[in-house]
Amino acid sequence: MVLGREGGTYRVLIAGIERIAILRGKAKRDENERAVAGDRVLLDQATLTEDMVGITGIEPRKSILERRVQGGRGTRPVAANVDQVVVVIAAASPDPIPHLLDRLLVVAEANDIPPIVVVNKVDLASADGIHAHLSLAGYPVLETSTRAATGISALQARLVDRESVFTGPSGAGKSSLLNAIEPELGLRVGAISAKAGRGRHTTVTATLIPLAEGGFVVDTPGFSEVGVWAIEPGALDQCFPEFSAALGECKYGDCMHRGEPGCAVRELAEADAALQPRYASYLSILNELEGLPQEWE
Ligand SMILES: Nc1nc2c(ncn2[C@@H]2O[C@H](COP(=O)(O)OP(=O)(O)OP(=O)(O)O)[C@@H](O)[C@H]2O)c(=O)[nH]1
Ligand SMILES: [Mg+2]
Ligand SMILES: [Zn+2]
């Protein structure tokens, strides 16, 4: 299991022990076959006794989280085999922005990685608004407070034996939650970490942190900046689970669910007030996607 990469070397976990590894042979020649955090790799047995273990190949990935290369030339893998995205938002301080939450959920959906939502800081305000916003989407919504020490074990149970990427707005309490779950981590808490992190996003790859109970968390602060860019506009509707009953029911097969006649998605949204903010997020992300140069251009 690859925990992370620093330049040309990898930190890998072999039978519970962390070792340094480098690519060898075919794995080294094939530039596209770069291993990333979360990859299961094949090792050269003969190198197990050496200082640097040889990686000879990468096992097929069950999922891959990708980020756009700066300047828009293709994508680059960030983390492999991610099982779930944990979207952390605060009930207050900073106040939740439903549209930002929806963007993060869309990024997870577009990468085919199931998300869960954690509403932290419930000691400051109620999570009812978030529950209402997501009532029809069907995502698990947990409530936590690191201050009041509530909901931590329920979140911890969700992380066991899985690889989870934490994402969410700065100040929501991601590092605080991880520290509450795994006190040995000693992650930096406070607004400063975001600023320091932002500048490094382009160069630092994701790092997997092993959890004592089994499982890994990924501490890339950049996931929220992976952005919605890689999504084909016509596939955005599939990133909103509550639209599913209406998909395929529109009058036009290529309906984008804006104002087209006979649009089943729009009818669904107009019939149910609970769906309207999510539909508004859909429209806003759609406009954004169509304003950006596409991958095939
Ligand atoms: N009231 C309250 N404050 C909290 C809670 N959890 C974290 N905080 C505070 O919120 C602030 C931000 O917490 P962090 O854990 O650094 O937030 P983060 O999501 O990691 O932020 P970035 O690293 O900037 O993305 C800190 O001052 C924490 O002490 C909570 O449950 N309740
Ligand atoms: Mg943090
Ligand atoms: Zn439609």
Side-chain angles (χ1 to χ4, degrees):
M1 165 80 80
V2 174
L3 297 177
R5 177 164 68 90
E6 279 97 38
T9 65
Y10 293 86
R11 287 186 299 110
V12 294
L13 203 57
I14 305 170
I17 296 172
E18 201 178 310
R19 301 282 307 272
I20 301 297
I22 51 167
L23 300 177
R24 291 266 170 94
K26 186 185 172 296
K28 189 175 179 181
R29 287 191 296 276
D30 195 349
E31 276 290 312
N32 301 324
E33 273 282 296
R34 281 288 182 82
V36 294
D39 265 322
R40 275 77 168 175
V41 290
L42 302 170
L43 304 173
D44 180 353
Q45 292 287 332
T47 63
L48 282 177
T49 53
E50 296 175 14
D51 285 347
M52 291 202 194
V53 180
I55 297 173
T56 55
I58 302 169
E59 291 274 275
R61 294 161 174 161
K62 72 180 176 200
S63 71
I64 182 79
L65 187 60
E66 293 183 309
R67 156 184 311 175
R68 182 182 217 162
V69 176
Q70 285 230 318
R73 283 180 298 278
T75 60
R76 185 146 298 168
V78 175
N81 302 313
V82 178
D83 295 302
Q84 64 184 351
V85 171
V86 179
V87 182
V88 180
I89 54 163
S93 179
D95 283 339
I97 303 169
H99 178 65
L100 177 62
L101 170 62
D102 291 339
R103 287 178 61 96
L104 296 171
L105 291 168
V106 160
V107 172
E109 291 278 356
N111 278 280
D112 274 323
I113 303 170
I116 67 169
V117 175
V118 174
V119 187
N120 188 39
K121 307 198 189 185
V122 291
D123 55 293
L124 297 180
S126 149
D128 290 353
I130 302 300
H131 284 292
H133 184 68
L134 296 176
S135 59
L136 300 171
Y139 298 122
V141 180
L142 308 185
E143 297 185 19
T144 59
S145 166
T146 62
R147 194 66 50 90
T150 53
I152 306 298
S153 53
L155 172 60
Q156 184 167 26
R158 293 248 174 199
L159 305 180
V160 174
D161 290 339
R162 296 194 179 128
E163 186 184 322
S164 311
V165 170
F166 273 61
T167 180
S170 182
K174 299 176 293 294
S175 302
S176 302
L177 284 167
L178 289 170
N179 284 339
I181 288 163
E182 199 91 357
E184 303 78 54
L185 286 179
L187 295 176
R188 233 162 79 190
V189 162
I192 312 128
S193 67
K195 282 220 176 73
R198 199 159 294 148
R200 300 175 317 191
H201 289 171
T202 44
T203 49
V204 169
T205 52
T207 301
L208 246 57
I209 301 168
L211 296 174
E213 304 280 318
F216 299 87
V217 291
V218 180
D219 84 333
T220 172
F223 181 73
S224 60
E225 298 180 7
V226 171
V228 292
W229 49 267
I231 303 161
E232 201 199 311
L236 182 63
D237 53 8
Q238 292 161 39
C239 297
F240 288 77
E242 58 269 76
F243 294 176
S244 64
L247 297 187
E249 302 296 320
C250 300
K251 185 173 173 190
Y252 301 111
D254 60 352
C255 185
M256 299 301 279
H257 324 304
R258 275 200 174 95
E260 296 94 328
C263 173
V265 172
R266 196 182 178 94
E267 280 164 22
L268 194 72
E270 278 170 358
D272 195 336
L275 225 143
Q276 274 157 27
R278 290 272 290 164
Y279 178 61
S281 287
Y282 165 80
L283 290 178
S284 139
I285 297 169
L286 182 65
N287 287 342
E288 183 184 336
L289 287 178
E290 294 195 325
L292 289 172
Q294 303 299 325
E295 284 283 275
W296 53 85
E297 280 175 3

